């Protein structure tokens, strides 16, 4: 654990962002562990809210995350067909050690989504739990907390943040 | 805007003999129509404010926008819910600027006036600069909303002092609210977490979409692909059940009630929930039978209901129960608020599965709602051609004695009411003599 540097984590997060922007979603899915979780809470919830008791926007286990990817690669995911253009920016990356072998990462994200002449911006903080593996990492959990008061004017989270 | 639609530009075109019902696309794009809607519909309806469960104890409050007005929804010291216009009687500032919380009183920070939970003025700095009886005047208090009533813990407001009672207004919708609330004898709860989103489309499109059975197979094809992985139920299993139909509930409200193969927390099991889940769902069902008899238990458990209450409250009892309101800020933009409604005291397991079930379909991050939004936004773009292609067609099922849930009776009910309120039939010659 002492060997993990911010640069290593940043490289990993930049690679993740690039996969998403290139719509390499099946490859992106491979970055996740079998017990992975991907969550986007509603903005009026306290920081410790869980999707078991509170309404989120997204609370995927690994199975549903896989289904999300499958769906997005289909023509019948109408909101993302044709694919929107995205640009994921990752910043303010900080690495925190844990008791176990995993590492906690906090970062700031700003993701632009353009479709049909409209560009929307999603921004906030992202919290990752990463598992070191084979000289790189796997994502055990990814939680994106949006900073706006409401999901407006975008009105959707059809892309992966 | 004239009180009647000009004869050469009707808002709707109905010909029962030809099974024809058309809606002018102008209704979705014209700012004058929107301005008239604000006056003729939103000012004369019962509008959903919130649920009693959102104010758990005396002193609890929340602020919410209803038809463009800031409303303060609070439970007073005696436990009575109140709906106050969130504006200081002094110089107008919004008294309560917090989203929600708990308080014994509200202070307007501008000049320090303090109001009780009932909106009554309690104190003001420099009170001696006012008449002795200033605090006794009604006009010194925060103004309550003109009308404020509830049904089964759903609280509504109206800005029309003379509107009929909420119960009369709800008409046949009460039966369906009852079916939803009778899922439990413990009362219903709004789950923490509000989905606040938007669609770049006219608000009336969402009323139509929310009770549209016809679009499911194609708009939500990818959702049904996914669903097939979580249940052994097939569309054939579901087709063996009573069919789905559309119903006119009176006063512009409508509902579709129909079987579907997704899991229902109350109470239709799917294999993805496992044997533990099956035991729990069976217990819930048996309890319903005990309380309501087999027939009603079956109806509550196995049928889904998508209902709207005119003009803009949707309550969908499907793979979870969602309550949704939406207001236009422009002809092509609406702001939506959406909640999960659940029985109080649900088990850990069921609470979790209900929410997971909700998210897979409903809400802006689910596998269905974003595709609905995409459809509506592209309808709105299509309406730019309204001068050349002026009409929508909602005549599906007019040729049927009993329109099914994939027909468009629900939309016809909405538009008939809309048209009656927007463009009331002219008074008869007799009664207009005095003018």
């Amino acid at each position: 654990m002492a060997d993990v540097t911010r640069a290593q984590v940043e490289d990993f997060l930049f690679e993740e962002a690039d996969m998403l922007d290139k719509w390499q979603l099946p490859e992106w899915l491979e970055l996740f562990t079998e017990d992975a979780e991907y969550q986007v809470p509603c903005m009026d919830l306290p920081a410790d809210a869980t999707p078991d008791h509170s309404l989120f926007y997204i609370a995927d286990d690994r199975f549903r995350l896989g289904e999300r990817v499958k769906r997005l690669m289909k023509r019948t995911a109408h909101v993302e067909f044709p694919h929107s253009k995205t640009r994921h920016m990752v910043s303010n990356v900080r690495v925190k050690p844990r008791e176990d072998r995993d590492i906690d990462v906090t970062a700031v994200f700003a993701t632009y989504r353009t479709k049909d002449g409209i560009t929307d911006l999603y921004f906030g903080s992202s919290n990752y739990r990463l598992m070191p593996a084979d000289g790189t990492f796997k994502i055990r959990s990814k939680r994106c907390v949006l900073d706006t008061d409401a999901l407006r004017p975008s009105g959707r989270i059809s892309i992966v943040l | 805007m004239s009180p009647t639609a000009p004869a050469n530009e009707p808002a709707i075109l109905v010909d029962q003999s030809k099974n024809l019902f058309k809606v002018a696309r102008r209704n979705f794009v014209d700012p004058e129509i929107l301005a008239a809607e604000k006056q003729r519909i939103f000012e004369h309806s019962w509008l959903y404010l919130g649920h009693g469960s959102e104010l758990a104890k005396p002193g609890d409050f929340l602020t919410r926008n209803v038809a463009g007005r800031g409303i303060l929804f609070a439970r007073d010291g005696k436990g009575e819910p109140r709906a106050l216009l969130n504006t200081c009687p002094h110089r107008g500032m919004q008294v309560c600027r917090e989203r929600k919380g708990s308080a014994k009183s509200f202070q307007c920070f501008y000049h320090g006036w303090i109001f009780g939970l009932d909106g009554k003025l309690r104190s003001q700095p420099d009170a001696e600069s006012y008449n002795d009886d200033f605090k006794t005047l009604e006009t010194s208090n925060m103004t309550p909303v003109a009308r404020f009533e509830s049904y089964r813990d759903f609280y509504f407001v109206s800005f029309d002092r003379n509107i009929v009672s909420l119960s009369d207004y709800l008409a046949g919708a009460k039966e369906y609210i009852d079916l939803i609330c009778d899922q439990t004898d413990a009362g219903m709860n709004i789950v923490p977490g509000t989905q606040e989103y938007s669609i770049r489309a006219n608000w009336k499109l969402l009323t139509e979409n929310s009770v549209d059975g016809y679009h499911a197979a194609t708009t939500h094809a990818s959702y049904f692909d996914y669903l097939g992985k979580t249940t052994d139920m097939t569309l054939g299993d579901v087709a063996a059940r009573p069919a789905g139909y559309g119903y006119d509930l009176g006063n512009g409200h409508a509902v579709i009630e129909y079987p579907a193969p997704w899991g229902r927390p109350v109470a239709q099991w799917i294999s993805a929930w496992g044997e533990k889940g099956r035991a729990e769902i069976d217990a819930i069902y048996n309890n319903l039978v005990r309380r309501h008899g087999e027939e009603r238990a079956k109806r509550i458990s196995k049928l889904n209901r998508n209902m709207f209450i005119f003009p803009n409250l949707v309550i969908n009892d499907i793979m979870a129960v969602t309550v949704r309101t939406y207001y236009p800020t422009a002809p092509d933009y609406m702001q939506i608020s959406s909640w999960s409604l659940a029985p109080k005291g649900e088990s850990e397991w069921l609470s979790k599965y209900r929410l997971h079930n909700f998210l897979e379909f409903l809400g802006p991050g689910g596998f269905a709602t974003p595709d609905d939004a995409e459809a509506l936004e592209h309808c709105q773009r299509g309406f730019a051609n309204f001068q050349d292609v002026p009409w929508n067609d909602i005549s599906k099922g007019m040729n049927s004695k009993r329109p099914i849930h994939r027909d468009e009776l629900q939309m016809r009910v909405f538009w008939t009411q809309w048209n009656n309120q927007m463009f009331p039939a002219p008074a008869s010659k007799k009664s207009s003599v005095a003018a």
Side-chain angles (χ1 to χ4, degrees):
Chain A
M1 165 52 224
D3 306 300
V4 173
T5 63
R6 189 209 314 279
Q8 283 174 303
V9 172
E10 279 181 327
D11 278 347
F12 177 76
L13 295 180
F14 296 160
E15 182 66 28
E16 186 208 0
D18 199 43
M19 280 180 179
L20 291 172
D21 292 335
K22 291 188 159 104
W23 279 83
Q24 291 167 348
L25 296 187
E27 291 86 341
W28 172 82
L29 186 63
E30 295 297 307
L31 299 177
F32 286 78
T33 62
E34 285 311 305
D35 60 343
E37 288 179 338
Y38 167 52
Q39 296 178 352
V40 183
C42 287
M43 283 79 108
D44 63 342
L45 290 170
D48 58 353
T50 75
D52 292 357
H53 299 288
S54 300
L55 184 64
F56 277 37
Y57 284 119
I58 295 175
D60 287 353
D61 56 16
R62 174 61 181 79
F63 168 70
R64 190 149 77 193
L65 188 61
E67 292 299 305
R68 184 176 293 276
V69 165
K70 275 197 201 123
R71 184 186 116 81
L72 286 173
M73 301 308 288
K74 288 182 187 173
R75 296 170 65 101
T76 49
H78 308 293
V79 65
E80 288 297 338
F81 184 83
H83 288 166
S84 57
K85 280 188 285 203
T86 66
R87 190 57 61 199
H88 289 71
M89 305 202 306
V90 182
S91 175
N92 304 36
V93 177
R94 287 182 295 163
V95 178
K96 290 168 191 190
R98 292 169 55 92
E99 295 284 299
D100 56 30
R101 289 197 60 237
D102 288 348
I103 51 174
D104 281 334
V105 173
T106 62
V108 162
F109 70 90
T111 297
Y112 290 87
R113 174 185 182 267
T114 298
K115 190 147 194 291
D116 295 321
I118 291 178
T119 297
D120 284 315
L121 170 63
Y122 302 87
F123 62 96
S125 64
S126 45
N127 300 281
Y128 290 79
R129 184 166 148 194
L130 301 182
M131 179 186 88
D134 305 322
T136 176
F137 305 97
K138 290 257 186 211
I139 302 171
R140 206 187 291 283
S141 83
K142 175 174 174 174
R143 181 149 151 159
C144 298
V145 180
L146 290 158
D147 284 342
T148 46
D149 283 338
L151 197 61
R152 298 174 186 147
S154 69
R156 72 209 47 169
I157 315 176
S158 48
I159 53 167
V160 174
L161 287 178
Chain B
M1 166 156 251
S2 64
T4 55
N8 60 339
E9 280 182 23
I12 65 175
L13 261 182
V14 186
D15 187 337
Q16 298 283 355
S17 68
K18 295 199 176 93
N19 289 333
L20 196 88
F21 198 121
K22 292 195 180 285
V23 172
R25 291 178 178 179
R26 173 185 298 276
N27 300 335
F28 297 100
V29 303
D30 189 343
E32 286 188 10
I33 291 272
L34 177 58
E37 284 173 340
K38 285 181 174 175
Q39 282 311 305
R40 298 175 197 187
I41 294 184
F42 291 100
E43 291 302 294
H44 298 286
S45 298
W46 279 101
L47 301 170
Y48 177 68
L49 172 60
H51 194 264
S53 64
E54 296 185 272
L55 305 175
K57 55 189 198 308
D60 283 356
F61 68 86
L62 59 86
T63 55
R64 197 161 275 170
N65 233 286
V66 174
R69 293 160 169 84
I71 310 285
L72 174 54
F73 182 38
R75 199 177 283 280
D76 72 17
K78 298 195 178 82
E80 271 304 304
R82 303 276 183 159
L84 302 165
L85 288 156
N86 190 14
T87 175
C88 188
H90 178 215
R91 305 247 293 270
M93 198 182 96
Q94 289 193 305
V95 172
C96 180
R97 296 169 307 115
E98 291 172 88
R99 246 190 104 99
K100 64 179 184 205
S102 207
K104 294 202 174 71
S105 61
F106 300 106
Q107 185 189 55
C108 181
F109 82 68
Y110 195 10
H111 305 90
W113 289 25
I114 296 178
F115 303 90
L117 292 161
D118 55 3
K120 288 201 164 37
L121 177 62
R122 297 271 182 257
S123 70
Q124 337 153 252
D126 287 358
E128 61 277 6
S129 310
Y130 289 91
N131 287 348
D132 287 342
D133 69 344
F134 187 79
K135 271 175 42 195
T136 68
L137 303 174
E138 204 48 52
T139 48
S140 299
N141 303 325
M142 289 177 73
T143 305
V145 182
R147 296 285 295 277
F148 177 52
E149 291 176 22
S150 69
Y151 183 75
R152 303 292 305 256
D153 229 10
F154 289 87
Y155 283 83
F156 291 74
V157 295
S158 181
F159 306 107
D160 177 356
R161 210 161 285 283
N162 301 313
I163 198 168
V164 299
S165 72
L166 176 64
S167 178
D168 284 353
Y169 183 88
L170 290 175
K174 292 196 290 289
E175 175 186 353
Y176 291 83
I177 297 176
D178 286 344
L179 283 162
I180 293 168
C181 294
D182 285 353
Q183 288 181 9
T184 174
D185 48 11
M188 297 289 251
N189 238 357
I190 293 278
V191 173
T194 314
Q195 294 186 337
E196 292 179 294
Y197 57 109
S198 55
I199 302 181
R200 291 175 168 112
N202 187 268
W203 69 278
K204 301 186 287 299
L205 289 173
L206 189 54
T207 303
E208 292 184 322
N209 172 258
S210 302
V211 290
D212 183 321
Y214 191 23
H215 79 293
T218 47
T219 303
H220 300 313
S222 66
Y223 166 73
F224 284 103
D225 287 346
Y226 159 80
L227 184 67
K229 310 244 180 75
T230 66
T231 173
D232 302 321
M233 252 187 291
T234 63
L235 287 166
D237 294 328
V238 152
R241 297 227 193 101
Y245 297 101
Y247 300 94
D248 179 346
L249 301 177
N251 291 345
H253 322 314
V255 70
I256 51 173
E257 193 175 33
Y258 58 99
W262 50 65
R264 287 176 55 80
V266 180
Q268 174 161 283
W269 179 81
I270 52 171
S271 48
W273 292 352
E275 287 310 308
K276 177 181 179 200
R278 194 206 288 266
E280 184 145 353
I281 298 295
D282 283 349
I284 289 173
Y285 181 76
N286 292 335
N287 196 24
L288 282 175
V289 172
R290 252 191 317 273
R291 281 179 20 236
H292 297 289
E294 181 88 39
E295 199 189 317
R296 190 172 175 78
K298 248 200 202 123
R299 189 176 178 200
I300 289 174
S301 305
K302 308 301 179 196
L303 293 182
N304 299 276
R305 284 156 282 276
N306 292 48
M307 168 171 63
F308 72 83
I309 286 160
F310 190 89
N312 68 337
L313 169 63
V314 163
I315 305 177
N316 284 352
D317 169 19
I318 44 184
M319 66 288 292
V321 180
T322 187
V323 179
R324 176 192 301 159
T325 61
Y326 36 100
Y327 288 94
T329 59
D332 61 354
Y333 190 74
M334 66 177 114
Q335 296 185 323
I336 305 157
S337 298
S338 190
W339 298 271
S340 170
L341 185 70
K344 284 183 186 162
E346 266 191 330
S347 73
E348 280 288 311
W349 179 88
L350 192 52
S351 163
K352 171 182 161 151
Y353 271 87
R354 167 187 293 281
L355 288 169
H356 280 247
N357 233 29
F358 186 112
L359 291 189
E360 71 185 21
F361 188 95
L362 294 163
F367 294 172
T369 295
D371 289 336
D372 287 318
E374 180 78 1
L376 302 192
E377 289 184 353
H378 283 275
C379 286
Q380 194 70 31
R381 288 178 188 238
F383 294 155
N385 301 325
F386 78 99
Q387 285 163 308
D388 304 298
V389 191
W391 302 104
N392 269 1
D393 182 297
I394 53 168
S395 60
K396 189 172 191 287
M398 274 177 95
N399 59 355
S400 166
K401 274 203 177 63
R402 212 182 160 194
I404 61 172
H405 64 298
R406 289 193 307 278
D407 287 332
E408 288 167 341
L409 173 138
Q410 314 76 267
M411 292 70 165
R412 296 193 284 274
V413 167
F414 172 84
W415 282 101
T416 303
Q417 181 72 23
W418 181 92
N419 195 55
N420 289 344
Q421 284 192 230
M422 286 289 284
F423 307 111
S428 70
K429 285 199 157 60
K430 271 197 188 137
S431 58
S432 68
V433 155

